[in-house]
Amino acid sequence: MINGTTQLFGIIGDPVAHSLSPAMHNAAFAHLGINGVYLPMRPADLADGFRGLRSLGFIGVSVTVPFKVAIMDFLDAIDPVARKIGAVNTLVFERTETAIRCIGHNTDWLGSNRALAEVIDLSGRTVLLIGAGGAARAVGFGLIEAGARVLLTNRTEAKGYELAAQMGCRFISAAELPQVQADALINTTSVGMAPHQDDLPIDPELLSHFPVVMDIVYAPLTTRLLREAAARGCRAIDGLTMLQYQGAAQFTLWTGREAPHPVMRQALIDALHSPIANIPLDVPR
């Protein structure tokens, strides 16, 4: 029941109507008996929207495309890893009797690291990233934070070289890929996302070079990349797992409580198969 003491949380983005995050967080609040509500919001103007969040008493807010970089201009402080990544996906409002401070965090890298940690110890391991967008930045810097060695490949080589230089890692051209072997491969692009679920970001014959394969795409839940990887004996990690873990990290930042992972996972699965979840907008970018 929503009443005068209900705590406010939400997600800002454009578009945002098909976000799965409300289902995940509202299920967690209900399970733990927290009087909170999580709302999807599409601000017409980011500056006005941010002032509204601050003045209306929001406790925590998720940030998705296209605001993950622009929101940083309005914050009072930014977590060091989020600043290194260059993007924020989580806002925490700290309120006292005299002031309101908004702190920016990035939990996308925590989500990817924790999803991978279920099957592999990242420290000292080599990981090949596919992509050079915002998701690759978050995942890549997170891997480096965990002590992994990162290789990066991208269809547009100029963009790939640029990000590789920023992360201090080696860029791998398409011609070099057949010679590359690593402990894990992560697709951070949207290749394979519905309605283009038959597309692949890499030649499937190369997947045997990577014992662990993760895809941040979660619609479909089991992408063709993951099916091809499993057929070659690889451990496959779906994109919903990363979404769940980054959301759980947000939940703990906002509430100080351990997130109910099974409840959040089931809520995501249920929402993913609902009629309105046709476009996966929460894929970190």
Side-chain angles (χ1 to χ4, degrees):
M1 179 181 295
I2 297 174
N3 55 35
T5 61
T6 300
Q7 294 181 315
L8 298 177
F9 304 84
I11 179 169
I12 58 171
D14 186 12
V16 75
H18 292 78
S19 171
L20 304 186
S21 293
M24 172 174 61
H25 286 293
N26 285 321
F29 292 149
H31 180 75
L32 294 179
I34 295 172
N35 185 6
V37 62
Y38 183 104
L39 307 166
M41 297 168 286
R42 188 179 68 177
D45 178 84
L46 182 58
D48 289 343
F50 181 76
R51 283 191 289 269
L53 296 172
R54 188 190 287 270
S55 62
L56 287 170
F58 274 77
I59 303 297
V61 175
S62 307
V63 183
T64 189
V65 292
F67 302 132
K68 289 188 179 186
V69 176
I71 195 69
M72 298 173 73
D73 291 338
F74 304 100
L75 306 182
D76 299 296
I78 299 173
D79 173 80
V81 179
R83 187 174 292 281
K84 189 184 299 183
I85 292 169
V88 160
N89 81 323
T90 307
L91 307 181
V92 178
F93 289 90
E94 296 180 350
R95 299 174 184 274
T96 66
E97 292 183 359
T98 58
I100 303 171
R101 296 179 74 243
C102 185
I103 318 301
H105 299 261
N106 191 303
T107 65
D108 287 334
W109 72 275
L110 290 170
S112 61
N113 278 11
R114 291 175 183 176
L116 286 162
E118 290 189 346
V119 298
I120 185 174
D121 181 1
L122 290 172
S123 180
R125 301 299 183 98
T126 299
V127 180
L128 176 68
L129 287 187
I130 302 176
R137 289 186 63 89
V139 173
F141 278 110
L143 291 169
I144 292 168
E145 197 77 13
R149 173 176 175 254
V150 175
L151 307 175
L152 187 141
T153 189
N154 191 56
R155 182 176 58 185
T156 305
E157 292 198 356
K159 192 174 180 181
Y161 273 113
E162 180 182 1
L163 180 56
Q166 292 172 5
M167 292 197 299
C169 70
R170 179 185 166 196
F171 179 78
I172 305 295
S173 68
E176 296 175 286
L177 279 176
Q179 285 73 52
V180 173
Q181 297 204 20
D183 299 296
L185 175 148
I186 306 174
N187 173 41
T188 69
T189 76
S190 61
V191 175
M193 181 186 295
H196 305 292
Q197 54 262 47
D198 291 330
D199 295 346
L200 283 167
I202 190 172
D203 181 347
E205 296 306 317
L206 301 181
L207 292 174
S208 59
H209 296 179
F210 310 98
V212 175
V213 174
M214 182 168 115
D215 198 338
I216 71 166
V217 171
Y218 57 76
L221 183 57
T222 304
T223 61
R224 183 183 172 194
L225 176 67
L226 296 184
R227 294 197 306 272
E228 296 280 1
R232 288 160 175 80
C234 308
R235 295 287 298 274
I237 304 172
D238 63 65
L240 212 63
T241 303
M242 176 178 170
L243 179 62
Q244 170 199 331
Y245 277 119
Q246 69 82 26
Q250 292 179 324
F251 184 89
T252 299
L253 280 170
W254 295 331
T255 67
R257 299 181 65 173
E258 182 70 24
H261 287 278
V263 170
M264 296 174 84
R265 171 97 183 168
Q266 188 58 53
L268 285 171
I269 292 172
D270 292 345
L272 185 62
H273 292 98
S274 71
I276 65 168
N278 297 317
I279 305 173
L281 298 176
D282 271 340
V283 174
R285 294 172 171 84

